[in-house]
Amino acid sequence: MAPKKAEQALVEQWRDILALHARTQCELDRALHQHGLCASDFEVLDVLADGRAKGDACFYRVQEISDRIHLSQSALSRLIARLEKDGLVERGMCPEDRRGVRVGLTDKGRTLHGEVLPVQRAVLTRMLNSG
């Protein structure tokens, strides 16, 4: 009987984590929408803002971004294309591998990230400290 209870507790804990993630994602989307972003958009901007310096700009390979924000390569490519169209990021060829693409923030993207960062962090604080 004890293994069944332990297993059920584990499943309930997992479902609680999933529910917290879903609620937090919805709150982030709601808060960021007024800035023209969704939670995934912000995650890309946030990763790029924390990127390692390459001259005056921070660039990541698309695969490096994908590893950090847990989107498929194709979903991330579409998201990056949209952010590029909005003037928030720029893409360029990877000097180490001409087949690779690097992505970096534009000045507009860096400014928007700075404006929205406190909003995103406030949602995370509220949602993750309420449990």
Side-chain angles (χ1 to χ4, degrees):
M1 200 58 127
K4 273 284 194 206
K5 284 188 177 188
E7 184 178 312
Q8 185 59 34
L10 186 65
V11 169
E12 287 176 21
Q13 182 181 13
W14 172 241
R15 289 183 180 149
D16 288 345
I17 290 168
L18 291 175
L20 176 60
H21 176 269
R23 286 191 311 270
T24 303
Q25 192 79 10
C26 286
E27 285 297 312
L28 286 168
D29 283 339
R30 200 175 353 262
L32 297 172
H33 179 75
Q34 62 190 323
H35 300 278
L37 299 173
C38 69
S40 295
D41 297 339
F42 179 83
E43 286 300 317
V44 169
L45 298 180
D46 203 39
V47 166
L48 294 174
D50 284 344
R52 53 192 181 277
K54 297 277 188 194
D56 291 332
C58 297
F59 287 88
Y60 269 109
R61 291 181 66 136
V62 173
Q63 181 59 46
E64 293 171 313
I65 300 168
S66 179
D67 291 345
R68 298 211 32 213
I69 65 166
H70 311 292
L71 286 177
S72 70
Q73 194 96 17
S74 61
L76 179 59
S77 291
R78 288 189 303 274
L79 190 153
I80 289 170
R82 192 177 72 251
L83 294 175
E84 184 178 36
K85 184 179 174 210
D86 293 342
L88 301 175
V89 302
E90 58 187 347
R91 288 189 272 194
M93 297 303 294
C94 177
E96 302 89 35
D97 176 3
R98 300 296 285 162
R99 295 169 296 159
V101 175
R102 290 200 171 272
V103 181
L105 285 177
T106 62
D107 289 340
K108 180 181 177 182
R110 189 168 302 288
T111 298
L112 181 60
H113 175 264
E115 292 169 0
V116 177
L117 181 66
V119 173
Q120 190 259 8
R121 297 302 198 256
V123 170
L124 290 182
T125 298
R126 184 175 79 250
M127 297 302 294
L128 300 179
N129 290 333
S130 66

